[in-house]
């Protein structure tokens, strides 16, 4: 197969059956004990199996993503993405559908810089196991999925949201180079799916903030405001996994100890970047997990990782200005912060809403509709400042 060339192009996609066994990754086969633990960790999630209304759609996504990842495995990135890499569109034709990969070489390089093996990425998102669904408390009409190992999060997006993400992608990559321990969710791919001659659906893939999820007790989506920010909690003993909101968090605090100053500074850096992009309506995802006795105390689970996955690519910035920190010796370390008693999963997500005419009109309407109350649709500068103030007020 020839190396990918810039610009839109269309190719016949390889089939998972024609390549490696899709359920196999570099981490090896699953044992019985692993499968039992995995089943317990999925409590409150629903497998999208045969008979589910989204089963056919997710099967297409899996076959398409297997083939799309095969391209980046056959032609791995040789250096930082070029302008052409950011604008490439590859359409692979499958039986009954087409899957488009947008800025594929740029995302392949980003995954590589994070230390993510393409074989593991392909195995998790390909046909090796059903995607998982959870009950979303989001007001958007998007569909949400998790890979079967819960490591990757997939979300459908509107065309205008995808345009915004791709327009900001070069600066997003640059920000992660400058601040390798950023709280921004790690965006790993943007794709389109067209069934027969129907309308294109777009979706993104990102690293799940809530991973590994086995011992997480509470999950929150924080925007720093009050209108529509309450979720009715699940009944006691219910297996439902619900993401709660700002008003559910009243009376609680995040006890970070000496890590608090790092978090406040990183929030300032990341929200300043989003403000420069004219973006608002993003959320701080947050989850709690109580630490075991042997995980507590200085040095018990912290190491300074020098691997490329957390160091990032060489940057002209001084180490101090990069705001690095000690990272826990755990999967998904970039989104994990340990306090004296609790482990916190933290990440900024939903980075595609631009403050254009539509949102300015929505701001005016909400100002009249909710006098004296705080709501999400405000200017990017005010949105960033308010979310940073929320974090400062709720941490110690």
């Amino acid at each position: 197969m020839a190396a990918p060339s810039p610009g839109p192009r269309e190719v016949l996609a390889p089939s998972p059956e024609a390549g490696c066994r899709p359920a196999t990754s570099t981490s090896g086969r699953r044992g019985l004990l692993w499968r039992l633990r995995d089943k317990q960790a999925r409590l409150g999630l629903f497998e999208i199996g045969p008979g589910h209304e989204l089963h056919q759609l997710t099967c297409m996504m899996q076959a398409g993503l297997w083939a799309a990842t095969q391209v980046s495995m056959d032609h791995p990135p040789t250096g930082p993405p070029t302008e052409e890499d950011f604008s490439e569109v590859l359409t692979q034709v499958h039986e009954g559908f087409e899957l488009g990969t947008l800025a594929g070489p740029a995302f392949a390089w980003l995954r590589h810089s994070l230390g993510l093996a393409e074989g593991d990425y392909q195995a998790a998102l390909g046909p090796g196991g059903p995607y998982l669904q959870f009950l979303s408390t989001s007001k958007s009409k998007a569909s949400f999925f998790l890979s079967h190992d819960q490591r990757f999060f997939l979300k459908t997006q509107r065309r205008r949201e995808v345009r915004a993400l791709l327009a900001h992608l070069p600066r997003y990559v640059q920000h992660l180079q400058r601040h390798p321990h950023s709280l921004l969710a790690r965006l790993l791919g943007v794709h389109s799916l067209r069934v027969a001659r129907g309308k294109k659906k777009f979706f993104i893939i990102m690293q799940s903030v809530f991973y590994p999820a086995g011992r997480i007790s509470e999950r929150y989506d924080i925007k720093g405001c009050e209108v529509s920010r309450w979720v009715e909690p699940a009944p006691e003993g219910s297996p439902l996994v619900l993401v709660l909101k700002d008003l559910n968090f009243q009376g609680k605090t995040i006890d970070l100890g000496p890590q608090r100053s790092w978090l406040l500074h990183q929030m300032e850096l990341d929200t300043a970047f989003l403000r420069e992009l004219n973006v608002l309506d993003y959320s701080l995802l947050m989850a709690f997990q109580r630490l075991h006795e042997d995980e507590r105390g200085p040095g018990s689970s912290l190491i300074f990782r020098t691997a490329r996955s957390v160091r990032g690519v060489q940057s002209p910035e001084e180490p101090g200005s990069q705001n690095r920190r000690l990272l826990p010796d755990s999967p998904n370390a970039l989104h994990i912060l340990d306090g004296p008693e609790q482990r916190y999963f933290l990440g900024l997500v939903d980075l595609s809403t631009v403050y254009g005419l539509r949102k300015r009109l929505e701001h005016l309407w909400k100002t009249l509709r909710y006098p004296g109350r705080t709501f999400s649709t405000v200017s990017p500068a005010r949105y960033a400042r308010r979310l940073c103030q929320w974090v400062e007020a709720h941490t110690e």
Side-chain angles (χ1 to χ4, degrees), residues 154-198:
L154 301 92
K155 180 185 178 184
T156 59
Q157 298 268 265
R158 297 184 180 95
R159 185 184 292 269
R160 68 170 179 270
E161 294 170 330
V162 166
R163 277 201 296 261
L165 282 175
L166 293 175
H168 297 154
L169 186 58
R171 293 178 67 183
Y172 169 83
V173 169
Q174 187 180 55
H175 181 77
L176 294 185
Q177 285 182 252
R178 289 176 175 169
H179 305 290
H181 296 175
S182 167
L183 291 165
L184 298 183
R186 292 328 190 250
L187 187 62
L188 305 175
V190 176
H191 298 272
S192 66
L193 179 72
R194 187 203 300 271
V195 180
R197 296 190 176 277

Side-chain angles (χ1 to χ4, degrees), residues 15-331:
S15 160
E17 292 77 20
C20 63
R21 279 180 290 231
T24 304
S25 74
T26 58
S27 54
R29 289 184 175 277
R30 301 177 183 180
L32 176 62
L33 180 60
W34 191 96
R35 287 198 298 270
L36 289 172
R37 283 179 182 166
D38 182 51
K39 191 169 184 179
Q40 184 181 19
R42 291 182 182 184
L43 217 57
L45 298 171
F46 307 93
E47 286 191 355
I48 303 176
H52 192 291
E53 61 178 348
L54 296 173
H55 181 246
Q56 187 177 12
L57 172 67
T58 56
C59 284
M60 292 176 185
M61 292 169 71
Q62 289 181 315
L65 290 173
W66 188 94
T69 310
Q70 192 63 42
V71 173
S72 59
M73 292 172 70
D74 293 341
H75 307 285
T78 56
T82 64
E83 188 175 339
E84 291 174 337
D85 292 334
F86 284 114
S87 62
E88 181 179 298
V89 179
L90 171 66
T91 301
Q92 292 175 295
V93 181
H94 298 256
E95 188 176 346
F97 72 97
E98 298 174 356
L99 187 114
T101 300
L102 290 75
F107 282 114
W109 181 86
L110 183 55
R111 294 193 296 269
H112 175 72
S113 73
L114 293 170
L116 177 55
E118 290 292 88
D120 289 345
Y121 185 71
Q122 185 185 57
L125 292 167
Y131 285 168
L132 307 175
Q133 186 182 34
F134 58 92
L135 292 180
S136 171
T137 54
S138 169
K139 287 199 154 191
S140 76
K141 294 181 180 178
S143 297
F144 303 87
F145 311 107
L146 284 168
S147 58
H148 61 82
D149 60 359
Q150 301 185 52
R151 188 177 178 186
F152 303 111
F153 180 86
L154 301 92
K155 180 185 178 184
T156 59
Q157 298 268 265
R158 297 184 180 95
R159 185 184 292 269
R160 68 170 179 270
E161 294 170 330
V162 166
R163 277 201 296 261
L165 282 175
L166 293 175
H168 297 154
L169 186 58
R171 293 178 67 183
Y172 169 83
V173 169
Q174 187 180 55
H175 181 77
L176 294 185
Q177 285 182 252
R178 289 176 175 169
H179 305 290
H181 296 175
S182 167
L183 291 165
L184 298 183
R186 292 328 190 250
L187 187 62
L188 305 175
V190 176
H191 298 272
S192 66
L193 179 72
R194 187 203 300 271
V195 180
R197 296 190 176 277
K199 189 177 178 182
K200 275 187 183 178
K201 298 176 186 288
F202 293 89
F203 65 95
I204 63 169
I205 305 167
M206 67 182 196
Q207 209 161 281
S208 175
V209 174
F210 299 152
Y211 175 83
R215 289 162 47 202
I216 288 177
S217 57
E218 299 173 61
R219 296 167 173 81
Y220 293 90
D221 175 311
I222 301 297
K223 291 184 183 287
C225 58
E226 59 180 322
V227 172
S228 300
R229 302 304 296 165
W230 166 263
V231 171
E232 195 62 40
E236 185 104 19
S238 169
L240 291 180
V241 174
L242 289 183
V243 179
L244 305 177
K245 297 186 179 180
D246 301 61
L247 297 180
N248 299 94
F249 199 79
Q250 285 184 340
K252 301 185 180 186
T253 55
I254 306 165
D255 183 10
L256 290 172
Q259 302 243 45
R260 179 176 183 263
S261 59
W262 177 88
L263 176 63
L264 296 181
H265 185 39
Q266 193 59 52
M267 283 293 299
E268 292 283 351
L269 291 170
D270 288 333
T271 58
F273 167 68
L274 295 173
R275 184 180 67 235
E276 289 169 10
L277 296 183
N278 203 32
V279 164
L280 73 157
D281 218 15
Y282 45 90
S283 296
L284 175 65
L285 285 189
M286 182 170 56
F288 296 177
Q289 174 186 302
R290 182 160 290 279
L291 291 171
H292 289 151
E293 196 65 42
D294 60 351
E295 296 173 321
R296 299 176 190 173
S300 60
S301 65
L302 295 176
I303 58 171
F304 189 76
R305 296 187 170 191
T306 56
R308 187 179 183 192
S309 60
V310 293
R311 185 178 71 228
V313 179
Q314 292 299 319
S315 165
E317 303 289 327
E318 290 297 317
S321 67
Q322 290 186 318
N323 197 38
R324 298 169 189 246
R325 65 181 172 98
L326 291 173
L327 293 169
D329 186 15
S330 169

